[in-house]
Amino acid sequence: MAVPDTVLSNQHLEAIVETNDEWIRARTGIKERRIAGERESTASLGLRAAQRALDVADILPTAIDLIVVATSTPENIFPSTASLIQNWLGASKAGAFDLSAACSGFVYGVDMATQAIRSGSIQVALVIGAETMTRVLDWQDRGTAILFGDGAGAVVLKGSSIEGGVLSSVLRSDGSGGDLLCIPTVGSEDLNNADFSTNGHKMHKMYMNGSEVFKFATRVIAESIEEALVKADLGIEDISLIVPHQANLRIIQAAARALKIEPDLFMSNLDRYGNTSAASIPIALCEAVQANRVKPGENIAFVGFGGGLTWASMVLRWTGSDLTERRSGRLINQQRRQFSYVLARWRVELRRISRVLGGLVNRLIPGRGRSPDEKTDTL
Ligand code: UT7
């Protein structure tokens, strides 16, 4: 995982919008969130998380076949955030694309990558959830400004003969609720409206009907986890930890009541990071592993929900690396990865220099660099 250093506390927010620490803590469970600095972006946070995931998995960038970035705040419409990260890693054999499923995006991404591995079409995938949500907030809207934060988390998935990994998944969407949670952007039919807004929602800014999304979330979490458990032929008593999307502590408590389990079975770190959308599950997973709350052989579940509306549950048997594990031989691979990152930076520079040189040569040598039409004209 990777989060910005800058902390935005509830007290800081009191100076920005009409709210107070007591209300935010009581109604959401959030105390503070991280906010990206000027030189940080969705791709740079995603890259840092990806580099750490490659270290933990001890995988070289050239071994990656597919990079998926789940995000609602991409660096560009295109190129994808995934392609930027692919280049910075030096993952020269990887395909790359961004996935838009809002706060459910990470679970969707892990499912897509798992299916690609299971089908035999790829061996290694890097799935990243990365967001700079604070860049799309309307700071006058206290219903959203207090909730969201920035960050990224990443996992490496690899084909293996060890039984386990993803046991089942349930992906769902109900587009009829799309207007409850949205960020209108360039393809919107209302882009050219004089007031630059659509249905009263500001262009490129997040809109949320909080209470409706709250009701939707509490309904679908229990339902979809139960469905994923049936598919995996397991019961809730077989699950040692649920890593939910971190939206609101009250949503987690309601889901625990619906599933008739202790709230402690849910991993929660939203007091420190708020809602980081597609990044919240991998960030919470990383902290759960670091805190030794996930051990090899245990069954765990993910559940995401959000814009679309979308929701997704997944049951997994954890076979992942112990983050504290240090094996000899790792150092050499670590150095190889660092070399790959440096080489990737040089490649970009070399490409730029060769373009400038090419332009110069074209200008110096008459006839070079002209279009076929121009050449025909000259003839
Ligand atoms: O990641 C995607 C998924 N997103 C979610 O799951 C978010 C789901 N929704 C929520 O978490 C909650 O609906 C919110 C935290 C957004 C709002 O909490 P709520 O308990 O639903 O509050 P509310 O909107 O019903 O408002 C209750 C009261 C209102 O005052 P009155 O009308 O009762 O006098 C609001 O004006 O609280 C007021 N209020 C606030 N007061 C201080 C609303 N926002 C704030 C605020 N600070 N930030």
Side-chain angles (χ1 to χ4, degrees), residues 86-141:
Q86 171 274 315
N87 175 49
W88 292 338
L89 290 174
S92 52
K93 294 183 184 138
F97 70 94
D98 287 356
L99 187 155
S100 166
C103 307
S104 318
F106 179 75
V107 185
Y108 269 67
V110 171
D111 185 66
M112 296 295 110
T114 299
Q115 300 315 326
I117 291 170
R118 291 234 161 103
S119 74
S121 91
I122 63 166
Q123 267 290 309
V124 178
L126 175 63
V127 182
I128 304 167
E131 303 279 14
T132 43
M133 299 306 290
T134 61
R135 303 242 166 98
V136 292
L137 292 178
D138 172 0
W139 291 101
Q140 308 305 312
D141 174 14

Side-chain angles (χ1 to χ4, degrees), residues 288-364:
V289 176
Q290 280 169 333
N292 217 19
R293 288 189 67 182
V294 186
K295 296 179 203 74
E298 288 183 347
N299 299 315
I300 63 169
F302 297 156
V303 58
F305 49 89
L309 299 169
T310 56
W311 63 105
S313 278
M314 178 172 273
V315 173
L316 310 93
R317 184 155 308 140
W318 185 253
T319 52
S321 315
D322 174 352
L323 296 194
T324 55
E325 191 187 352
R326 290 280 171 272
R327 274 188 264 122
S328 58
R330 285 192 160 219
L331 191 64
I332 295 172
N333 282 343
Q334 169 75 38
Q335 285 163 347
R336 282 188 186 160
R337 279 190 291 275
Q338 292 303 330
F339 183 64
S340 171
Y341 307 151
V342 173
L343 208 65
R345 270 208 302 275
W346 284 357
R347 224 178 4 248
V348 174
E349 285 308 315
L350 283 175
R351 219 168 240 184
R352 207 185 346 254
I353 292 167
S354 97
R355 268 200 307 269
V356 172
L357 286 178
L360 266 174
V361 170
N362 286 341
R363 251 180 277 149
L364 289 173

